[in-house]
Amino acid sequence: MNNATAEASKEKQHTVVIVGGGAAGISVASSLHKRDSSLDIAIIEPSQTHHYQPGWTMVGGGIFKPEATSKPMAAVMPGFASWYKQSVLSIGEEHNQVVLADGSKIGYQALVLAPGLELNWSGIDGLKESLGSNGVSSNYQEGMASYTWATVQNLKSGRALFSQPPIPIKCAGAPQKAMYLSSDYWLRNSVLNNIDIQFHNAGAVLFGVPDYVPALEDYIEKYGIELNYQSTLVAVNGPAHKATFRRTDPNGNTEDREIGFDMLHAVPPQRAPEFIRDSKLANEGGWLDLEDDTLRHKRHTNIFGLGDVSGTGNAKTAAAIRKQAPVVAENLLANLRNQPMKAAYLGYGSCPLTVENGRIVLAEFGYNGTLQPTFPSWINDGTKATKAAWYLKAKQLPALYWHVMLKGHEWLAKPARR
């Protein structure tokens, strides 16, 4: 056995192992360290770049520069954590270990699963091959938002299609955000009347929380957008400028319809990473099976989860992670110390709907669509488009993400109590 093989066969041990070095993984690591600086924490993350993904919509709308939305992973990875620069092959929950891509194993006392989700580009025939040319783009793809913006600027007439796949997806408002910012640009540049804008939503409603729908409908009318519900993008032919949508009627019957386009902003269906969805840790939908309030796994008491991989009924947003991280930190430590778990997550999520350049409908809600506003209505009425919400999104949130949330400073994120 050579030295490399011998090293790989050894099982390293840490008190807390965190899978994922995105917003969720680093935030919860910092929150844990803030509460107990003696903890031995490891983070497993293969990526060399950390992305501020909420900024990609703004890049696609010409608001942010692409370079403002990423940093080297080494610049944000906490110095107190052991960093394993590998992907995960599987979770050996029965043996309290994580198996890495090279076959090595890492043991844990407590495990936090925060690997995010997977964009299933192959779920739409021809989409992956079409991206980045012939007017086909997606702000969900790393580096593609700049092409979205270039396409929007170059379009003077024709048809623009915007699609939304079945939920759950990362930031369910993002498909609409791209549409509104594009429409606003066309309006300001006096070409809106020359463009046929269509929104094809696999769902049955414009937005899942009814309180915010009237404000969004005002902008749908303002921009003259044609709404198509239960219309799912299933195929793209970029060179032919054709998109195929599957329409489902109230009786469940389906019909495919091919539509020509000059611009297509497509969003792929999404799912949990394979090592989660094909494991015993997943629920029936393939997502991580967690208790809604404690964020602990329903069957394994030393496993917790947060972020986009979670099977809880909240919106998958960075704002949700901001509220989840302190809950996981508190409850994980209580679990290690054989104390009762007292912190509760109430399903908070936030979706700043960029309805125009300068105004946002700031949707803030929890489980079952319960409104959970952060600010009083005299500062920002979230059910209406406001300049205050735009200022928060465009000027404050990026700095709060990099310098507050990732550092374990829990601004307006105190957990509820059980």
Side-chain angles (χ1 to χ4, degrees), residues 5-20:
T5 304
E7 182 66 24
S9 66
K10 293 179 182 178
E11 179 182 302
K12 298 181 179 179
Q13 291 282 342
H14 298 277
T15 307
V16 180
V17 171
I18 299 170
V19 176

Side-chain angles (χ1 to χ4, degrees), residues 207-237:
F207 194 72
V209 183
D211 296 77
Y212 301 106
V213 170
L216 299 178
E217 288 179 334
D218 287 344
Y219 280 90
I220 294 292
E221 182 178 354
K222 176 181 179 180
Y223 299 134
I225 297 169
E226 177 188 318
L227 296 178
N228 297 270
Y229 294 121
Q230 295 186 297
S231 181
T232 304
L233 180 64
V234 294
V236 178
N237 186 331

Side-chain angles (χ1 to χ4, degrees), residues 69-91:
T69 65
S70 65
K71 290 186 178 184
M73 187 66 72
V76 299
M77 186 63 62
F80 59 78
S82 300
W83 178 17
Y84 292 84
K85 303 175 185 178
Q86 287 197 58
S87 57
V88 170
L89 182 64
S90 63
I91 305 296

Side-chain angles (χ1 to χ4, degrees), residues 46-70:
S47 301
Q48 294 297 316
T49 305
H50 184 104
H51 298 286
Y52 174 60
Q53 294 185 32
W56 290 355
T57 293
M58 301 292 266
V59 174
I63 315 300
F64 287 176
K65 298 294 184 184
E67 54 269 23
T69 65
S70 65

